[in-house]
Amino acid sequence: MKVAIGADHAGFSLKQVLVSQGLAGHEVVDVGTHSEGSTDYPIYAFKVARLVAAGEADLGVLICGTGIGMALAASRVPGVRPAVCTSEYMARKARAHNNANVLCLGGRVLGPGQALEILNVFLNTEFEGGRHARRLRMIEEGGGV
Ligand code: RB5
């Protein structure tokens, strides 16, 4: 699987762990940041989101302090469905029910072990389709009301 990953300064150290351990065996596109120097999370959110939207990556991973800013920014790119996950349950449902294609994590929220487990579930869970596909179409169409 080809996975694009990006982080700001608050997510940098967790990104390094995920790249070296959680994504071993996958093709990884690391869009940065490459140090703990202060930077702006939207830069990396849009880089990863555009790779996923263009089909140049199968899935994306974004890490900032909470995951929230990354998700807000990535959601602006059509075709991108970011999900902030703080548990394996959330990661499983984000893929199975929401067909999330960008996992957003909080480097100041999660320990590395927890984050690795969440990433593993996200990478290995398939979208269930069916009624969930209908609901995703409703989101694209403005709620169906
Ligand atoms: C950076 O201090 C922090 O605001 C950022 O990493 C992120 O948590 C924003 O959502």
Side-chain angles (χ1 to χ4, degrees):
M1 197 177 289
K2 190 166 177 179
V3 181
I5 189 166
D8 72 356
H9 52 285
F12 169 72
S13 78
L14 181 56
K15 174 170 71 67
Q16 302 312 101
V17 172
L18 298 189
V19 168
S20 63
Q21 298 180 44
L23 295 173
H26 294 277
E27 189 180 347
V28 176
V29 183
D30 183 349
V31 304
T33 188
H34 299 294
S35 78
E36 290 189 342
S38 184
T39 184
D40 300 316
Y41 62 81
I43 298 168
Y44 312 97
F46 277 87
K47 283 185 179 180
V48 165
R50 286 176 178 142
L51 286 169
V52 171
E56 291 169 34
D58 301 304
L59 293 173
V61 180
L62 287 166
I63 312 153
C64 60
T66 60
I68 295 171
M70 288 294 199
L72 290 174
S75 72
R76 301 296 297 269
V77 177
V80 172
R81 293 175 297 280
V84 179
C85 297
T86 57
S87 67
E88 290 166 82
Y89 179 83
M90 289 176 76
R92 188 169 296 112
K93 296 302 178 184
R95 290 287 303 130
H97 288 191
N98 308 115
N99 201 15
N101 51 13
V102 174
L103 173 65
C104 299
L105 300 173
R108 293 173 176 164
V109 177
L110 300 167
Q114 220 178 350
L116 283 164
E117 286 172 5
I118 290 168
L119 174 62
N120 185 47
V121 169
F122 193 82
L123 294 177
N124 290 295
T125 305
E126 293 293 325
F127 179 47
E128 288 176 7
R131 67 187 187 281
H132 303 297
R134 180 182 73 242
R135 292 165 184 162
L136 291 178
R137 278 197 301 277
M138 289 173 70
I139 293 175
E140 283 167 20
E141 292 163 4
V145 289

